[in-house]
Amino acid sequence: MMQQRTAHQIADVLIEALPYIQRFKGKTIVVKFGGNAMIDEALKHSFARDIVLMKLVGLNPIVVHGGGPQIGQLLEKLNIKTRFVDGMRVTDSETMDVVEMVLGGLVNKEIVSLINRHGGKAIGLTGKDGDLIRAKKITQKKYATDTLDSEIIDLGYVGEVSSIDPSALDMLGHSDFIPVIAPIGAGEDGRSYNINADLVAGKLAEVLKAEKLILLTNTVGILDKQGELLTGLTLKDIDDLIEDGTISGGMIPKTRCATDALKGGVNSVHIIDGRVEHAVLLELFTDQGVGTLLLSRPR
Ligand SMILES: Nc1ncnc2c1ncn2[C@@H]1O[C@H](COP(=O)(O)OP(=O)(O)O)[C@@H](O)[C@H]1O
Ligand SMILES: CC(=O)N[C@@H](CCC(=O)OP(=O)(O)O)C(=O)O
């Protein structure tokens, strides 16, 4: 009896995924995997398996990864000091070499190899490969609070996305390959630029006209002032939450990327908890979902 019920429950869970698989078949889903989620071995494996399953059931996953903590660790070993201004790492030429080594090398190849070990065919790219991402230098204006003067802070080789050539991704999307992208772009001068991974994921989702952008982070989603999860938000709600200070710190650039992607034609953005095993699968293929769903307007 017990065994039979368990079998039914398993079948229910499997069949719950069917309408979602039918709806998203052939659609592009951009998934940003943050550096914090990569610290846990079990989480890395569950993420890789989710991506392999997505591809096998006919979706087109594109992975964009971060690696902030991993860059920090190598810089520390090399005794190179680092600092952030408004969520961006100040990146001089020496730091850029380390960023490229960690993001384009160690972290990228680790994710590629994990996906491959779970039966996928991942191909690692930085924005320099296939001329995927062109970057332009960001100039950061920092406004001092005690004076009205503005101080320009030179962030060095920190870029924003100036253009994307998706032809390499189009080719991979029509094959068994799963692209895994490190957030490094090439400047007009051919130099490498360090780009925040959320920015890259948002722009890629926009250019690829992705069905969804999924941002894995280290909170359960966007929280209200009482610390309760906000399960559904629209563009207007997000503006209000930033305005009244509910959304602050690292969540501001993240939600800005999300709103840009929605305005650019992405159907939905999901900010979900990367600390939960199989968070991507639960968000995509179950009725309740996890985290915060952001839409242009109420459904
Ligand atoms: N309203 C909010 N809801 C959830 N997190 C928030 C909110 N406002 C600020 N945050 C902060 O934003 C952080 C997520 O941004 P960040 O650390 O940059 O993420 P990641 O490293 O995944 O890119 C959360 O850990 C939290 O400290
Ligand atoms: C300009 C800038 O700050 N770039 C980031 C790139 C990595 C990143 O975005 O990693 P997470 O997603 O893990 O935070 C950095 O150097 O840390």
Side-chain angles (χ1 to χ4, degrees):
M1 189 68 189
M2 186 65 203
Q3 227 176 13
Q4 210 176 23
R5 222 178 41 223
T6 308
H8 269 294
Q9 282 170 345
I10 295 168
D12 282 348
V13 170
L14 288 170
I15 212 67
E16 194 178 318
L18 182 61
Y20 296 101
I21 295 173
Q22 283 166 330
R23 196 188 315 157
F24 302 139
K25 198 162 188 284
K27 300 273 166 67
T28 296
I29 316 279
V30 175
V31 187
K32 188 256 172 166
F33 192 38
N36 279 312
M38 284 172 225
I39 289 167
D40 184 295
E41 276 306 307
L43 286 176
K44 281 192 289 200
H45 283 274
S46 87
F47 174 80
R49 292 169 78 192
D50 289 3
I51 298 295
V52 172
L53 193 141
M54 276 168 79
K55 185 76 178 184
L56 275 176
V57 297
L59 282 62
N60 176 30
I62 311 264
V63 178
V64 176
H65 64 82
Q70 292 76 0
I71 296 167
Q73 279 166 13
L74 187 55
L75 286 171
E76 202 181 317
K77 270 192 205 155
L78 297 169
N79 269 321
I80 300 171
K81 289 212 162 34
T82 195
R83 70 181 177 117
F84 285 85
V85 173
D86 292 344
M88 303 283 181
R89 186 188 305 279
V90 179
T91 307
D92 61 12
S93 162
E94 192 182 32
T95 304
M96 188 62 230
D97 287 346
V98 177
V99 168
E100 195 154 9
M101 224 184 288
V102 174
L103 294 183
L106 300 171
V107 171
N108 188 273
K109 297 312 158 212
E110 184 180 10
I111 300 171
V112 164
S113 147
L114 269 170
I115 293 176
N116 294 350
R117 271 175 65 196
H118 286 288
K121 277 189 178 185
I123 297 250
L125 304 164
T126 74
K128 287 170 120 178
D129 295 290
D131 211 10
L132 178 61
I133 303 167
R134 287 282 178 95
K136 63 171 186 272
K137 184 176 163 72
I138 286 188
T139 327
Q140 191 79 22
K141 274 191 179 150
K142 180 98 178 160
Y143 292 92
T145 45
D146 51 346
T147 71
L148 286 175
D149 291 340
S150 62
E151 176 200 350
I152 308 276
I153 297 201
D154 186 0
L155 296 176
Y157 295 101
V158 171
E160 59 188 325
V161 177
S162 62
S163 65
I164 287 182
D165 176 349
S167 47
L169 300 182
D170 291 342
M171 194 183 72
L172 296 173
H174 289 106
S175 70
D176 290 343
F177 294 112
I178 301 167
V180 175
I181 300 161
I184 292 167
E188 290 305 322
D189 50 4
R191 296 260 345 198
S192 300
Y193 281 81
N194 179 11
I195 314 176
N196 173 280
D198 290 334
L199 275 178
V200 168
K203 272 281 170 234
L204 269 175
E206 208 180 307
V207 170
L208 296 169
K209 295 273 168 274
E211 172 70 24
K212 285 175 188 291
L213 166 64
I214 300 179
L215 300 170
L216 287 154
T217 184
N218 59 351
T219 85
V220 288
I222 300 179
L223 308 173
D224 66 13
K225 279 229 179 325
Q226 285 70 44
E228 297 287 325
L229 175 67
L230 295 161
T231 52
L233 296 173
T234 60
L235 289 176
K236 165 89 180 63
D237 301 329
I238 296 164
D239 285 342
D240 294 345
L241 290 168
I242 292 178
E243 181 86 2
D244 74 9
T246 307
I247 291 178
S248 61
M251 198 50 88
I252 296 181
K254 205 178 287 301
T255 49
R256 288 277 179 234
C257 293
T259 53
D260 285 353
L262 290 171
K263 287 176 193 162
V266 176
N267 264 340
S268 61
V269 181
H270 305 249
I271 296 187
I272 64 171
D273 196 344
R275 302 165 306 178
V276 173
E277 281 190 31
H278 300 296
V280 176
L281 219 54
L282 292 168
E283 183 62 44
L284 275 172
F285 298 130
T286 66
D287 292 338
Q288 69 266 41
V290 287
T292 305
L293 168 65
L294 297 103
L295 298 167
S296 306
R297 60 188 74 81
R299 265 189 186 140

